Amino acid sequence: MRFPTLSAVLLLVCVAAFLGLRTAGGHASNTSRGFEAPVPMDLPGYLRPATDPAFGTGIVRISKPGPLGNGVVCGPKYCSHRYSSAQAWNADQTLLLLDNGCNGMCFLDGHTYAALFWRKRAGECEWHPRNAELMICVHDRAVSTWAPRTNHEDVLFTSPDYHDLQFGPSKGNPSRDGSRIAVRAVRKDGADVVFAYDLSQRQKFPDIELSQVPGKASSCTISPLGKYILCFQDLVDGTEQRAIFTVDGALHQRWTDHHRPGHGDLTVDADGSEVYVGISKSSPDKFQVIKRRLSDGKVTVLTAYGEAEHASTRAIARGDWVFLSYGGDPREVSANPGWAPYAREVIALRIDGSGAIRRIVQTRNPPSDYWSETHASPSPDGSQVIWSSNWGVPGGPVYEFVARLDWSERQNPKEVVANDQP
């Protein structure tokens, strides 16, 4: 009979205690409407359960510089999930991926956060939203599905007519059912194109030549229902515009105002409309969180002016909520009562325009560089949120944290309607 080691026993005890800390996304989220001053807190130990003193949310630090076990090694400066609009967990939340600053694609247990294994591979991969064993990958000349646990890969599409295939890059996601993606490519005649690809039918849709709209496309992604392709266009004057195509290749919408919105994510509204939710950098809603409908460009303002930096709708089971990472200086935010009252904080906001929020955690994350940005991203069911923080030391190590939320009615009184509505 093999007895568990002391370290294994301690880990199980910590995990059990942490699971007992799950809250409604912070008890204060149901009572506090205004600015909440930063509450000091020591850096939690690695894999040690802790509670955010501002909102009562259970959190755990899931990274540290150096070895984590099973060959997984975090770099000295940062070790984090990829981005706010990228899903960090697989479909059943048994695996969690860290791939910034790790020694490859580093896979953790999706609930205990213990390091399991790592893989080296080229190209870009995103979790399949329904098949927990698979990622969808794009590299060089191929589109494939890949099983990280077994390292098995099935190539679905390849063609000598295209090279430099990309999944986005960086901001690409599959459709909500995992059937379609948008693929950037260079055609053999040198044209920069994007096309929709149906993985289940193994069907390529028509090429869309990106030169037909001004600027240079930085990234493209399929919409949640697989109807549209949204592309981000960078113009020489610094303006960042949006072009929306149907999967059959027709230019459907052009949003020529700068970054309206940006740093966002796609979801499906209550009425079935596909919307892009993010932060506007143009009038009349500059630095407000907005949603914009892909079908006709209609804008709905969701918050007052504020310091929101990134938006994520990766909790696809809760598509009516967006998870927002707020930066800013708490002193400046507190001195401006007309602003959205959040500084260095992660919140969830209902996108129906009601202003209903759940305050999740204070990040204690002063600005430093890109890798230290919070980039909060929820799990598919919204029960967990991953986020990054330098924990009050600009230029210091950036750690990864997970906060856990309980959405049950028993735990959640009616969510608060914030006083920051426009």
Side-chain angles (χ1 to χ4, degrees), residues 201-225:
Q201 301 295 322
R202 300 200 177 194
Q203 175 192 358
K204 177 190 170 296
F205 285 77
D207 289 352
I208 300 169
E209 294 198 13
L210 294 170
S211 61
Q212 65 181 284
V213 291
K216 180 176 177 59
S218 60
S219 186
C220 297
T221 186
I222 201 80
S223 65
L225 302 180

Side-chain angles (χ1 to χ4, degrees), residues 194 210 217 219-221 229-233 241-245:
V194 64
L210 294 170
S219 186
C220 297
T221 186
I229 293 175
L230 170 67
C231 290
F232 304 82
Q233 301 291 126
Q241 299 184 1
R242 308 284 180 257
I244 300 163
F245 304 92

Side-chain angles (χ1 to χ4, degrees), residues 246-264:
T246 68
V247 292
D248 293 322
L251 179 60
H252 182 72
Q253 284 271 307
R254 273 194 66 208
W255 301 344
T256 58
D257 30 11
H258 171 59
H259 218 278
R260 189 169 181 249
H263 294 299

Side-chain angles (χ1 to χ4, degrees), residues 76-80 83 100 309-310 327 365-375 388-391 393-399:
K77 294 183 178 180
Y78 57 89
C79 190
S80 62
Y83 188 59
N100 296 328
E309 294 180 336
H310 294 279
N365 192 28
S368 179
D369 57 18
Y370 173 81
W371 296 111
S372 67
E373 292 180 5
T374 296
H375 292 163
S388 305
S389 175
N390 57 31
W391 212 258
V393 184
V398 177
Y399 306 100

